[in-house]
Coordinates of all heavy atoms in Angstrom, one line a residue:
M1 N 5.9 -6.5 14.8 CA 5.8 -7.2 13.5 C 5.0 -6.3 12.5 O 4.1 -5.7 12.9 CB 5.0 -8.5 13.8 CG 4.9 -9.4 12.6 SD 4.2 -11.0 12.9 CE 2.5 -10.7 12.6
I2 N 5.5 -6.4 11.3 CA 4.8 -5.6 10.2 C 3.7 -6.5 9.6 O 4.0 -7.7 9.3 CB 5.8 -5.1 9.2 CG1 6.8 -4.1 9.9 CG2 5.1 -4.4 8.0 CD1 7.9 -3.6 9.0
T3 N 2.6 -6.0 9.4 CA 1.4 -6.7 8.8 C 1.1 -6.0 7.4 O 1.2 -4.8 7.3 CB 0.2 -6.6 9.7 OG1 0.6 -7.2 11.0 CG2 -1.0 -7.4 9.2
Y4 N 0.7 -6.8 6.5 CA 0.4 -6.4 5.1 C -1.0 -6.8 4.8 O -1.5 -7.9 5.1 CB 1.3 -7.0 4.1 CG 2.8 -6.7 4.4 CD1 3.5 -7.4 5.3 CD2 3.4 -5.7 3.6 CE1 4.9 -7.2 5.5 CE2 4.8 -5.5 3.8 CZ 5.5 -6.2 4.8 OH 6.8 -5.9 5.0
I5 N -1.7 -6.0 4.0 CA -3.0 -6.4 3.3 C -2.9 -5.8 1.9 O -2.2 -4.9 1.6 CB -4.2 -5.8 4.1 CG1 -4.2 -4.3 4.1 CG2 -4.3 -6.4 5.5 CD1 -5.5 -3.7 4.6
T6 N -3.8 -6.4 1.1 CA -4.0 -5.9 -0.3 C -5.5 -5.3 -0.3 O -6.4 -5.9 0.4 CB -3.9 -6.9 -1.4 OG1 -4.8 -8.0 -1.2 CG2 -2.4 -7.4 -1.4
I7 N -5.7 -4.2 -1.0 CA -7.0 -3.6 -1.2 C -7.2 -3.2 -2.6 O -6.2 -3.0 -3.3 CB -7.2 -2.4 -0.2 CG1 -6.4 -1.2 -0.6 CG2 -7.1 -2.9 1.2 CD1 -6.8 0.1 0.1
N8 N -8.4 -3.0 -3.0 CA -8.7 -2.4 -4.3 C -8.3 -0.9 -4.2 O -8.6 -0.2 -3.2 CB -10.1 -2.5 -4.7 CG -10.5 -3.9 -4.9 OD1 -9.7 -4.8 -5.2 ND2 -11.8 -4.2 -4.9
T9 N -7.7 -0.4 -5.3 CA -7.2 1.0 -5.3 C -8.4 2.0 -5.2 O -8.2 3.1 -4.8 CB -6.4 1.3 -6.6 OG1 -7.1 0.9 -7.7 CG2 -5.1 0.6 -6.5
D10 N -9.6 1.6 -5.6 CA -10.7 2.5 -5.5 C -11.1 2.8 -4.0 O -12.0 3.6 -3.8 CB -11.9 2.1 -6.3 CG -12.5 0.7 -5.9 OD1 -12.0 0.1 -4.9 OD2 -13.5 0.3 -6.6
E11 N -10.5 2.1 -3.1 CA -10.8 2.3 -1.7 C -9.7 3.1 -1.0 O -9.7 3.3 0.2 CB -11.0 1.0 -0.9 CG -12.3 0.3 -1.3 CD -12.7 -0.8 -0.3 OE1 -11.9 -1.7 -0.1 OE2 -13.8 -0.7 0.3
L12 N -8.7 3.6 -1.7 CA -7.6 4.3 -1.1 C -8.1 5.6 -0.4 O -7.4 6.0 0.5 CB -6.5 4.7 -2.2 CG -5.5 3.6 -2.5 CD1 -4.7 4.0 -3.7 CD2 -4.7 3.3 -1.3
S13 N -9.2 6.2 -0.8 CA -9.7 7.4 -0.2 C -10.1 7.1 1.3 O -10.2 8.0 2.1 CB -10.8 8.0 -0.9 OG -11.9 7.1 -1.0
L14 N -10.3 5.8 1.6 CA -10.7 5.4 3.0 C -9.5 5.2 3.9 O -9.7 5.0 5.1 CB -11.6 4.2 2.9 CG -12.9 4.2 2.1 CD1 -13.5 2.8 2.0 CD2 -13.8 5.3 2.7
V15 N -8.3 5.2 3.3 CA -7.1 4.9 4.1 C -6.7 6.1 4.9 O -6.6 7.2 4.4 CB -6.0 4.4 3.2 CG1 -4.7 4.3 3.9 CG2 -6.4 3.1 2.5
D16 N -6.4 5.9 6.2 CA -5.8 6.9 7.1 C -4.3 6.7 7.0 O -3.8 5.8 7.6 CB -6.3 6.8 8.5 CG -5.7 7.9 9.4 OD1 -4.7 8.6 9.0 OD2 -6.2 8.0 10.5
F17 N -3.6 7.5 6.2 CA -2.2 7.3 5.9 C -1.3 7.7 7.2 O -0.1 7.4 7.2 CB -1.7 8.2 4.7 CG -2.1 7.5 3.4 CD1 -3.3 7.9 2.8 CD2 -1.4 6.4 2.9 CE1 -3.7 7.3 1.6 CE2 -1.8 5.8 1.8 CZ -3.0 6.2 1.1
N18 N -1.9 8.2 8.2 CA -1.2 8.4 9.5 C -1.1 7.1 10.2 O -0.3 7.0 11.2 CB -1.9 9.4 10.4 CG -1.9 10.8 9.8 OD1 -0.9 11.3 9.3 ND2 -3.1 11.4 9.8
E19 N -1.8 6.0 9.8 CA -1.8 4.8 10.5 C -1.1 3.7 9.8 O -1.0 2.5 10.3 CB -3.2 4.3 10.8 CG -4.0 5.3 11.7 CD -5.4 4.7 12.1 OE1 -5.4 3.5 12.6 OE2 -6.4 5.4 11.8
V20 N -0.6 3.9 8.6 CA 0.2 2.9 7.8 C 1.6 3.5 7.4 O 1.8 4.7 7.6 CB -0.6 2.5 6.6 CG1 -1.9 1.8 6.9 CG2 -0.9 3.7 5.7
M21 N 2.4 2.6 6.9 CA 3.8 3.0 6.6 C 3.9 3.8 5.2 O 4.8 4.5 5.0 CB 4.7 1.8 6.6 CG 4.8 1.2 7.9 SD 5.9 -0.2 7.9 CE 6.4 -0.3 9.6
E22 N 2.9 3.7 4.4 CA 2.8 4.5 3.2 C 2.4 5.9 3.6 O 1.6 6.1 4.5 CB 1.9 3.9 2.2 CG 2.2 2.5 1.7 CD 2.0 1.4 2.7 OE1 1.2 1.6 3.6 OE2 2.6 0.4 2.6
T23 N 2.9 6.9 2.8 CA 2.6 8.3 3.2 C 1.4 8.9 2.5 O 0.9 9.9 2.9 CB 3.8 9.1 3.1 OG1 4.3 9.0 1.7 CG2 4.9 8.7 4.0
S24 N 1.1 8.4 1.3 CA 0.0 8.9 0.5 C -0.4 7.9 -0.6 O 0.3 6.9 -0.8 CB 0.4 10.2 -0.1 OG 1.4 10.0 -1.2
E25 N -1.4 8.3 -1.3 CA -1.8 7.4 -2.5 C -0.7 7.3 -3.5 O -0.6 6.4 -4.3 CB -3.1 8.0 -3.1 CG -4.3 7.9 -2.3 CD -5.6 8.3 -3.0 OE1 -5.7 8.2 -4.2 OE2 -6.5 8.8 -2.3
D26 N 0.2 8.3 -3.5 CA 1.3 8.4 -4.5 C 2.4 7.4 -4.1 O 3.3 7.2 -4.9 CB 1.8 9.8 -4.6 CG 0.8 10.7 -5.2 OD1 -0.1 10.3 -6.0 OD2 0.8 11.9 -4.8
T27 N 2.4 6.9 -2.9 CA 3.6 6.1 -2.5 C 3.2 4.6 -2.3 O 4.1 3.8 -1.8 CB 4.2 6.6 -1.1 OG1 3.2 6.5 -0.1 CG2 4.7 8.0 -1.3
V28 N 2.0 4.2 -2.7 CA 1.6 2.8 -2.5 C 2.1 2.0 -3.7 O 2.3 2.5 -4.8 CB 0.1 2.6 -2.4 CG1 -0.4 3.3 -1.1 CG2 -0.6 3.2 -3.6
R29 N 2.3 0.7 -3.5 CA 2.7 -0.2 -4.6 C 1.4 -0.7 -5.2 O 0.6 -1.3 -4.5 CB 3.5 -1.4 -4.0 CG 3.7 -2.6 -4.9 CD 5.0 -2.6 -5.7 NE 5.0 -3.7 -6.6 CZ 5.7 -4.8 -6.5 NH1 6.4 -4.9 -5.4 NH2 5.7 -5.7 -7.4
S30 N 1.3 -0.6 -6.5 CA 0.1 -1.1 -7.2 C 0.4 -2.3 -8.0 O 1.5 -2.5 -8.5 CB -0.5 0.0 -8.1 OG -0.9 1.1 -7.3
S31 N -0.7 -3.1 -8.3 CA -0.6 -4.2 -9.2 C -0.4 -3.8 -10.6 O -0.5 -2.6 -10.9 CB -1.9 -5.1 -9.1 OG -3.0 -4.3 -9.4
V32 N 0.0 -4.7 -11.4 CA 0.3 -4.3 -12.8 C -0.9 -3.6 -13.5 O -0.7 -2.6 -14.2 CB 0.7 -5.6 -13.6 CG1 0.9 -5.3 -15.1 CG2 2.1 -6.1 -13.1
D33 N -2.1 -4.1 -13.2 CA -3.3 -3.5 -13.8 C -3.8 -2.3 -13.1 O -4.7 -1.6 -13.5 CB -4.4 -4.5 -14.0 CG -4.9 -5.1 -12.7 OD1 -4.5 -4.6 -11.6 OD2 -5.7 -6.1 -12.7
G34 N -3.1 -1.9 -12.0 CA -3.5 -0.7 -11.2 C -4.7 -0.9 -10.4 O -5.2 0.1 -9.8
L35 N -5.3 -2.1 -10.3 CA -6.6 -2.2 -9.6 C -6.4 -2.6 -8.1 O -7.4 -2.4 -7.3 CB -7.4 -3.3 -10.2 CG -7.8 -3.0 -11.7 CD1 -8.6 -4.2 -12.3 CD2 -8.6 -1.7 -11.8
Q36 N -5.2 -3.0 -7.7 CA -5.0 -3.3 -6.3 C -3.7 -2.7 -5.8 O -2.8 -2.3 -6.5 CB -4.9 -4.8 -6.1 CG -6.2 -5.6 -6.2 CD -6.1 -7.0 -5.7 OE1 -5.2 -7.7 -6.1 NE2 -6.9 -7.3 -4.8
T37 N -3.6 -2.5 -4.5 CA -2.5 -2.0 -3.8 C -2.2 -2.7 -2.5 O -3.1 -3.4 -2.0 CB -2.6 -0.4 -3.6 OG1 -1.4 0.1 -3.2 CG2 -3.7 -0.1 -2.6
V38 N -1.0 -2.4 -1.9 CA -0.6 -3.1 -0.7 C -0.5 -2.0 0.4 O 0.0 -0.9 0.1 CB 0.8 -3.8 -0.9 CG1 1.3 -4.3 0.5 CG2 0.7 -4.9 -1.9
L39 N -0.9 -2.3 1.6 CA -0.7 -1.4 2.7 C 0.0 -2.2 3.8 O -0.2 -3.4 3.9 CB -2.1 -1.0 3.3 CG -2.9 -0.1 2.4 CD1 -4.3 0.1 3.0 CD2 -2.2 1.2 2.0
K40 N 0.8 -1.5 4.6 CA 1.5 -2.2 5.7 C 1.5 -1.3 6.9 O 1.5 -0.1 6.8 CB 2.9 -2.6 5.3 CG 3.9 -1.5 5.0 CD 5.2 -2.0 4.5 CE 6.0 -0.8 4.0 NZ 7.3 -1.2 3.5
W41 N 1.5 -1.9 8.1 CA 1.6 -1.2 9.4 C 2.3 -2.1 10.4 O 2.5 -3.3 10.2 CB 0.2 -0.8 9.9 CG -0.6 -2.0 10.2 CD1 -0.7 -2.7 11.4 CD2 -1.6 -2.6 9.3 NE1 -1.6 -3.7 11.3 CE2 -2.2 -3.7 10.0 CE3 -2.0 -2.4 8.0 CZ2 -3.1 -4.5 9.5 CZ3 -3.0 -3.2 7.5 CH2 -3.5 -4.2 8.2
E42 N 2.8 -1.4 11.5 CA 3.4 -2.2 12.6 C 2.5 -2.0 13.8 O 2.0 -1.0 14.1 CB 4.8 -1.6 12.8 CG 5.6 -2.4 13.8 CD 7.1 -2.0 13.8 OE1 7.4 -1.0 13.2 OE2 7.8 -2.8 14.3
G43 N 2.3 -3.2 14.5 CA 1.5 -3.1 15.7 C 0.0 -3.5 15.4 O -0.3 -4.3 14.5
A44 N -0.9 -2.8 16.1 CA -2.3 -3.1 16.1 C -2.9 -2.7 14.7 O -2.4 -1.7 14.1 CB -3.1 -2.4 17.2
E45 N -3.9 -3.4 14.3 CA -4.6 -3.1 13.0 C -5.2 -1.8 13.1 O -6.0 -1.5 14.0 CB -5.6 -4.2 12.7 CG -6.4 -4.0 11.4 CD -7.4 -5.1 11.1 OE1 -6.9 -6.2 10.7 OE2 -8.6 -4.8 11.4
P46 N -5.0 -0.9 12.1 CA -5.6 0.4 12.1 C -7.2 0.3 12.0 O -7.7 -0.6 11.4 CB -5.1 1.1 10.8 CG -3.8 0.3 10.5 CD -4.1 -1.1 11.0
A47 N -7.8 1.2 12.7 CA -9.3 1.2 12.7 C -10.0 1.2 11.4 O -11.0 0.6 11.1 CB -9.8 2.3 13.6
F48 N -9.4 2.0 10.4 CA -10.0 2.1 9.1 C -10.1 0.8 8.3 O -11.0 0.7 7.4 CB -9.3 3.2 8.3 CG -8.0 2.7 7.7 CD1 -7.9 2.0 6.5 CD2 -6.8 3.0 8.4 CE1 -6.7 1.5 6.0 CE2 -5.6 2.6 7.9 CZ -5.5 1.8 6.7
V49 N -9.3 -0.2 8.7 CA -9.3 -1.4 7.9 C -10.7 -2.1 7.9 O -11.1 -2.7 6.9 CB -8.2 -2.4 8.4 CG1 -8.3 -3.8 7.8 CG2 -6.8 -1.8 8.2
S50 N -11.4 -2.0 9.0 CA -12.7 -2.6 9.1 C -13.7 -1.9 8.2 O -14.8 -2.5 7.9 CB -13.2 -2.5 10.6 OG -13.4 -1.2 11.0
T51 N -13.4 -0.7 7.7 CA -14.3 -0.1 6.7 C -14.1 -0.5 5.3 O -14.8 -0.1 4.4 CB -14.2 1.5 6.8 OG1 -12.9 1.9 6.3 CG2 -14.4 1.9 8.3
L52 N -13.0 -1.2 5.0 CA -12.7 -1.6 3.7 C -13.4 -2.9 3.3 O -13.3 -3.9 4.0 CB -11.1 -1.8 3.6 CG -10.3 -0.6 4.0 CD1 -8.8 -1.1 4.0 CD2 -10.5 0.5 3.0
S53 N -14.0 -2.9 2.1 CA -14.8 -4.1 1.7 C -13.9 -5.0 0.9 O -14.2 -6.2 0.7 CB -16.0 -3.7 0.9 OG -15.6 -3.0 -0.2
S54 N -12.8 -4.6 0.4 CA -12.0 -5.4 -0.6 C -10.7 -5.9 0.0 O -9.9 -6.6 -0.7 CB -11.6 -4.5 -1.8 OG -10.7 -3.5 -1.4
Y55 N -10.4 -5.7 1.3 CA -9.1 -6.1 1.7 C -8.9 -7.6 1.9 O -9.9 -8.3 2.2 CB -8.7 -5.4 3.0 CG -9.1 -6.0 4.3 CD1 -8.3 -6.9 5.0 CD2 -10.3 -5.7 5.0 CE1 -8.7 -7.5 6.2 CE2 -10.7 -6.2 6.2 CZ -9.8 -7.1 6.8 OH -10.2 -7.7 7.9
E56 N -7.7 -8.1 1.6 CA -7.3 -9.5 1.7 C -6.1 -9.5 2.6 O -5.2 -8.7 2.5 CB -7.1 -10.1 0.4 CG -8.3 -10.2 -0.5 CD -8.1 -10.9 -1.8 OE1 -7.1 -11.6 -1.9 OE2 -8.9 -10.8 -2.7
G57 N -6.0 -10.5 3.5 CA -4.9 -10.6 4.4 C -5.5 -10.8 5.8 O -6.7 -11.1 5.9
P58 N -4.7 -10.6 6.8 CA -3.4 -10.1 6.8 C -2.3 -11.1 6.3 O -2.6 -12.3 6.4 CB -3.2 -9.7 8.3 CG -4.0 -10.7 9.0 CD -5.2 -10.9 8.2
Y59 N -1.2 -10.5 5.8 CA -0.1 -11.3 5.3 C 1.2 -11.0 6.1 O 1.3 -9.9 6.6 CB 0.1 -11.1 3.8 CG -1.0 -11.3 3.0 CD1 -1.7 -10.3 2.3 CD2 -1.4 -12.6 2.7 CE1 -2.8 -10.5 1.5 CE2 -2.5 -12.9 1.9 CZ -3.2 -11.8 1.2 OH -4.2 -12.1 0.4
T60 N 2.0 -12.0 6.2 CA 3.4 -11.8 6.7 C 4.3 -11.2 5.6 O 3.9 -11.2 4.4 CB 4.0 -13.1 7.2 OG1 4.1 -14.0 6.1 CG2 3.1 -13.8 8.3
H61 N 5.5 -10.9 6.0 CA 6.4 -10.4 5.0 C 6.7 -11.4 3.9 O 6.7 -11.1 2.7 CB 7.7 -9.9 5.7 CG 8.7 -9.3 4.7 ND1 9.9 -9.8 4.4 CD2 8.6 -8.1 4.1 CE1 10.5 -9.1 3.6 NE2 9.8 -8.0 3.3
E62 N 6.9 -12.7 4.4 CA 7.2 -13.8 3.4 C 6.0 -14.0 2.5 O 6.1 -14.2 1.3 CB 7.5 -15.1 4.1 CG 8.8 -15.0 4.9 CD 8.8 -14.2 6.2 OE1 7.7 -14.0 6.8 OE2 9.8 -13.8 6.6
E63 N 4.8 -13.9 3.0 CA 3.6 -14.1 2.2 C 3.4 -13.0 1.2 O 3.1 -13.3 0.0 CB 2.3 -14.3 3.1 CG 2.3 -15.5 3.9 CD 1.2 -15.5 5.0 OE1 0.9 -14.4 5.5 OE2 0.7 -16.6 5.3
I64 N 3.6 -11.8 1.6 CA 3.4 -10.7 0.6 C 4.5 -10.7 -0.4 O 4.2 -10.3 -1.6 CB 3.3 -9.3 1.4 CG1 2.6 -8.3 0.5 CG2 4.7 -8.8 1.7 CD1 1.1 -8.6 0.3
L65 N 5.7 -11.1 -0.1 CA 6.8 -11.2 -1.1 C 6.4 -12.3 -2.2 O 6.6 -12.1 -3.4 CB 8.1 -11.7 -0.5 CG 8.8 -10.6 0.3 CD1 10.1 -11.1 0.9 CD2 9.1 -9.4 -0.6
A66 N 5.7 -13.4 -1.8 CA 5.3 -14.4 -2.7 C 4.2 -13.8 -3.6 O 4.2 -14.1 -4.8 CB 4.8 -15.6 -2.0
I67 N 3.3 -13.0 -3.0 CA 2.2 -12.4 -3.8 C 2.8 -11.4 -4.8 O 2.5 -11.4 -6.0 CB 1.2 -11.7 -2.9 CG1 0.4 -12.8 -2.1 CG2 0.3 -10.8 -3.7 CD1 -0.4 -12.2 -1.0
M68 N 3.8 -10.6 -4.4 CA 4.4 -9.6 -5.2 C 5.2 -10.2 -6.4 O 5.4 -9.5 -7.4 CB 5.4 -8.7 -4.4 CG 4.7 -7.9 -3.3 SD 3.7 -6.6 -4.0 CE 2.1 -7.2 -3.5
A69 N 5.6 -11.5 -6.2 CA 6.3 -12.1 -7.3 C 5.5 -12.7 -8.4 O 6.0 -13.2 -9.4 CB 7.2 -13.2 -6.7
T70 N 4.1 -12.6 -8.2 CA 3.2 -13.2 -9.2 C 3.1 -12.2 -10.4 O 3.4 -11.0 -10.3 CB 1.8 -13.4 -8.6 OG1 1.3 -12.2 -8.2 CG2 1.9 -14.4 -7.5
P71 N 2.7 -12.7 -11.6 CA 2.5 -11.8 -12.8 C 1.5 -10.7 -12.5 O 1.6 -9.7 -13.2 CB 2.0 -12.8 -13.8 CG 2.4 -14.2 -13.4 CD 2.4 -14.1 -11.9
E72 N 0.6 -10.8 -11.6 CA -0.4 -9.8 -11.3 C 0.3 -8.5 -10.7 O -0.2 -7.4 -10.8 CB -1.5 -10.2 -10.4 CG -2.4 -11.2 -11.0 CD -1.9 -12.7 -11.1 OE1 -0.9 -13.0 -10.4 OE2 -2.4 -13.5 -11.9
W73 N 1.5 -8.8 -10.1 CA 2.1 -7.7 -9.4 C 3.5 -7.3 -9.9 O 4.0 -6.2 -9.7 CB 2.3 -8.1 -7.9 CG 1.0 -8.1 -7.1 CD1 0.2 -9.1 -7.0 CD2 0.4 -7.0 -6.5 NE1 -0.9 -8.7 -6.3 CE2 -0.8 -7.4 -6.0 CE3 0.8 -5.6 -6.3 CZ2 -1.6 -6.5 -5.3 CZ3 0.0 -4.8 -5.6 CH2 -1.2 -5.2 -5.1
T74 N 4.1 -8.1 -10.7 CA 5.4 -7.9 -11.3 C 5.4 -8.2 -12.8 O 5.1 -9.3 -13.2 CB 6.5 -8.7 -10.6 OG1 6.4 -8.5 -9.2 CG2 7.9 -8.4 -11.1
E75 N 5.7 -7.1 -13.6 CA 5.7 -7.4 -15.0 C 6.9 -8.2 -15.4 O 8.0 -8.0 -14.8 CB 5.8 -6.0 -15.8 CG 4.5 -5.3 -15.6 CD 4.4 -4.1 -16.6 OE1 4.7 -4.3 -17.8 OE2 4.0 -3.0 -16.1
P76 N 6.8 -9.1 -16.3 CA 8.0 -9.9 -16.7 C 9.1 -9.1 -17.3 O 8.8 -8.1 -18.0 CB 7.4 -10.9 -17.7 CG 6.1 -10.3 -18.1 CD 5.6 -9.4 -17.1
I77 N 10.3 -9.5 -17.1 CA 11.4 -8.8 -17.7 C 11.7 -9.4 -19.0 O 11.9 -10.6 -19.1 CB 12.7 -8.9 -16.8 CG1 12.4 -8.2 -15.5 CG2 13.9 -8.3 -17.5 CD1 13.5 -8.4 -14.4
E78 N 11.6 -8.6 -20.1 CA 11.9 -9.2 -21.4 C 13.4 -9.2 -21.7 O 14.0 -8.2 -21.5 CB 11.1 -8.3 -22.4 CG 9.6 -8.5 -22.3 CD 8.9 -7.8 -23.4 OE1 9.4 -7.6 -24.5 OE2 7.7 -7.4 -23.2
E79 N 13.8 -10.3 -22.1 CA 15.2 -10.4 -22.4 C 15.5 -9.8 -23.8 O 14.7 -10.0 -24.8 CB 15.7 -11.9 -22.4 CG 15.6 -12.5 -21.0 CD 16.1 -13.9 -21.0 OE1 16.9 -14.3 -21.9 OE2 15.6 -14.7 -20.2
E80 N 16.6 -9.1 -23.9 CA 17.0 -8.5 -25.2 C 17.7 -9.6 -26.0 O 18.5 -10.4 -25.5 CB 17.9 -7.3 -25.0 CG 17.2 -6.2 -24.3 CD 18.1 -4.9 -24.2 OE1 19.0 -4.8 -25.0 OE2 17.9 -4.2 -23.2
E81 N 17.5 -9.5 -27.3 CA 18.1 -10.5 -28.2 C 19.4 -10.0 -28.7 O 19.7 -8.9 -28.9 CB 17.2 -10.9 -29.3 CG 15.9 -11.6 -28.8 CD 15.0 -11.9 -29.9 OE1 15.4 -12.1 -31.1 OE2 13.8 -12.0 -29.7

């Protein structure tokens, strides 16, 4: 099962990218304001997660999709007139 969390982007330096599915700070999905990001992994929780002060979760795939659909994570599509 894949597990998801959100963290503040200022804590990305604490992430061990060998333990998550993202490969670097350049490949994470960020919120619209750039202040939060999502991490995901399969299996046991990575050890570094306990060092993060800002993480929220864990979330399932369905839960993270609902979060990603909010205005904080997805900019509205403006319709052309």
Side-chain angles (χ1 to χ4, degrees):
M1 184 172 93
I2 297 176
T3 302
Y4 301 81
I5 61 170
T6 59
I7 67 167
N8 291 344
T9 52
D10 62 2
E11 290 195 303
L12 277 171
S13 62
L14 301 173
V15 174
D16 180 348
F17 284 98
N18 294 314
E19 296 187 56
V20 295
M21 293 178 157
E22 296 74 22
T23 57
S24 72
E25 291 185 30
D26 297 327
T27 63
V28 296
R29 164 98 185 255
S30 295
S31 59
V32 172
D33 62 11
L35 297 178
Q36 289 194 306
T37 191
V38 175
L39 298 174
K40 62 183 173 185
W41 64 85
E42 192 165 10
E45 180 177 284
F48 74 84
V49 172
S50 65
T51 68
L52 304 172
S53 63
S54 68
Y55 87 88
E56 294 183 16
Y59 300 112
T60 64
H61 186 246
E62 291 76 21
E63 291 169 331
I64 204 69
L65 286 177
I67 291 168
M68 296 293 109
T70 64
E72 290 80 17
W73 288 90
T74 303
E75 292 191 49
I77 298 172
E78 294 187 24
E79 294 183 28
E80 295 184 27
E81 295 180 27

